[in-house]
Amino acid sequence: MIRACLSFLLASTLFAQARCATFTIAYFDTPPNAQAAIEHAAGIWGGILVSDVPIKVTVQWLAMGGNALGVTFPNGRKDFASAPVPATWYATALANSIAGTELNPGEDDINVYLNASTNWYYGTDGNTPAGQYDLVSVALHEFCHGIGFVGLAKKVGSEGSFGLLQPSDFAPLITTFPWPQQDTLPGIFDRFLRAPTLELLVDVPNPSTPLGSFFTCNQLRWSGSFGLVGSGGADIRIYSPATFALGSSCVHLNETTYPAGNANELMTPFSSAGHANHWPGPICIGILQDIGWVIAPDVAIDEIPGSEGWTLYPNPASHQLHLSGVPGISGARCEVIDRAGRVVASHVGEPTVDVSSIEPGSYLLRVVSSDRIIQRAFVKI
Ligand SMILES: [Zn+2]
């Protein structure tokens, strides 16, 4: 399932612009066999994400109380030159990828703490013995938070807020980079959270008691189009239990909806011993696209049953994009949707779209006919 990006790059010079992300990891007190497992996890993300800017990570191996396996702090940037959405925090690894340049020289992008007290399995084969926790799986999970699968939700008493997190909320853990003053602004991840009533949480007063109620309604959903392609159109459930848990609530997929063994289990808040998962799954990959990541063109998020015969080609595309193999859609409406959910091109007719005038990047082709909606991700180069 994991296809190496390197061989993809060798396959065609067309894809020379699609560069795999690289991770530069500085280790502190981390055993060498643990480092090997962590590097393996970084390599998996490197084959999924496209970025010209190396992702700078510190990994601190530290005995932590409680049952936490790991804690991750992403550095943040907002309102950088090419930011897709203003007044919104982006993990710096993502901001750097979008900007195509390092916005934070001298600062780390991600700080990961891993619990030295855990009974870890260091192997990379996924054959995790009973009673041990699979380090590759946990590192994959923590890196995902670091690249932006994270929000800025907090609840104090009954009041919920975005963008009021303080370093003291996470003491005694600290970051190697200056803690950004969050200015009561949401993260890009937060902008896709919605209530079951379809209301976006960023449209609720911030801070407020109603926002706090939504954080613990156990019914939060993800609204982004790419994520919904990954789910095959099914509601995407976000972890929002009745008791708010800082660092778990509103920043994970729902545990009971995606239990161990589900293709989307990686980004749920709890991890089981004796179990491994080395692939983020289609919902997670779609969510990363929703927040602005460019995904390697050979990583599929579309798992709609019965769609095996559909072909979207060429992908990546530079001029004409064609969808074939779907009967009865020749009079459908075709829309090209960008990372921010905006329709940037549309027409009614054959499922062929002229993409020559749109900016390079990742998009969704949505075809709406009388009896169905088809969505497929593609990359414009
Ligand atoms: Zn987590």
Side-chain angles (χ1 to χ4, degrees):
M1 182 138 182
I2 302 164
R3 284 171 286 177
C5 207
L6 181 62
S7 61
F8 186 75
L9 285 168
L10 292 173
S12 169
T13 53
L14 253 186
F15 304 135
Q17 291 175 323
R19 298 253 289 274
C20 294
T22 57
F23 287 70
T24 306
I25 306 177
Y27 294 99
F28 298 90
D29 307 322
T30 312
N33 46 1
Q35 294 184 23
I38 294 163
E39 294 290 336
H40 187 82
I44 292 171
W45 279 121
I48 296 171
L49 305 172
V50 174
S51 183
D52 289 332
V53 185
I55 298 170
K56 299 168 291 181
V57 183
T58 68
V59 171
Q60 174 79 55
W61 200 254
L62 181 74
M64 292 191 275
N67 56 4
L69 299 170
V71 177
T72 296
F73 298 102
N75 199 344
R77 285 291 184 277
K78 65 176 170 69
D79 295 321
F80 47 97
S82 48
V85 184
T88 302
W89 289 99
Y90 288 77
T92 54
L94 172 56
N96 288 345
S97 169
I98 293 170
T101 188
E102 187 181 27
L103 300 168
N104 58 328
E107 291 179 13
D108 295 313
D109 296 325
I110 301 169
N111 292 158
V112 177
Y113 287 90
L114 292 167
N115 195 340
S117 304
T118 300
N119 184 10
W120 292 109
Y121 177 60
Y122 297 123
T124 59
D125 58 4
N127 293 319
T128 315
Q132 293 194 329
Y133 287 89
D134 189 71
L135 181 55
V136 173
S137 304
V138 173
L140 209 56
H141 176 107
E142 296 302 330
F143 285 157
C144 192
H145 286 312
I147 60 175
F149 197 110
V150 69
L152 304 177
K154 177 177 173 178
K155 188 172 182 179
V156 177
S158 61
E159 186 177 80
S161 64
F162 288 123
L164 286 176
L165 294 171
Q166 299 294 329
S168 56
D169 292 327
F170 302 97
L173 301 180
I174 57 169
T175 58
T176 61
F177 44 81
W179 189 271
Q181 282 304 316
Q182 296 174 353
D183 301 332
T184 327
L185 294 174
I188 185 66
F189 185 94
D190 299 319
R191 287 196 175 276
F192 290 94
L193 299 179
R194 72 167 177 85
T197 53
L198 292 177
E199 185 174 21
L200 288 175
L201 264 55
V202 290
D203 292 335
V204 178
N206 174 27
S208 73
T209 298
L211 191 57
S213 298
F214 281 128
F215 287 170
T216 48
C217 70
N218 202 24
Q219 292 288 329
L220 287 188
R221 309 286 207 274
W222 182 261
S223 66
S225 325
F226 285 103
L228 287 164
V229 172
S231 74
D235 274 358
I236 298 171
R237 298 288 298 274
I238 300 294
Y239 185 63
S240 46
T243 301
F244 188 82
L246 184 69
S248 288
S249 294
C250 308
V251 297
H252 289 99
L253 297 179
N254 194 37
E255 187 71 36
T256 54
T257 314
Y258 313 101
N262 185 285
N264 296 295
E265 69 171 296
L266 184 75
M267 292 315 292
T268 61
F270 299 101
S271 191
S272 306
H275 180 73
N277 182 309
H278 294 182
W279 189 252
I283 291 178
C284 174
I285 292 172
I287 285 175
L288 293 174
Q289 279 191 282
D290 282 327
I291 65 173
W293 274 104
V294 173
I295 300 299
D298 63 340
V299 175
I301 61 169
D302 188 338
E303 295 199 347
I304 298 174
S307 66
E308 295 80 12
W310 305 351
T311 307
L312 186 64
Y313 67 96
N315 189 11
S318 55
H319 295 93
Q320 297 283 321
L321 182 71
H322 310 276
L323 179 68
S324 71
V326 187
I329 59 163
S330 58
R333 186 169 85 249
C334 303
E335 299 174 336
V336 175
I337 296 158
D338 72 6
R339 294 165 163 181
R342 296 173 297 224
V343 176
V344 296
S346 73
H347 78 278
V348 174
E350 293 299 318
T352 295
V353 182
D354 183 355
V355 296
S356 55
S357 61
I358 67 175
E359 293 289 313
S362 62
Y363 295 88
L364 200 61
L365 174 68
R366 179 185 292 164
V367 179
V368 183
S369 71
S370 57
D371 64 344
R372 73 188 105 179
I373 298 174
I374 294 164
Q375 299 191 114
R376 281 272 166 132
F378 72 95
V379 173
K380 164 67 192 301
I381 55 173

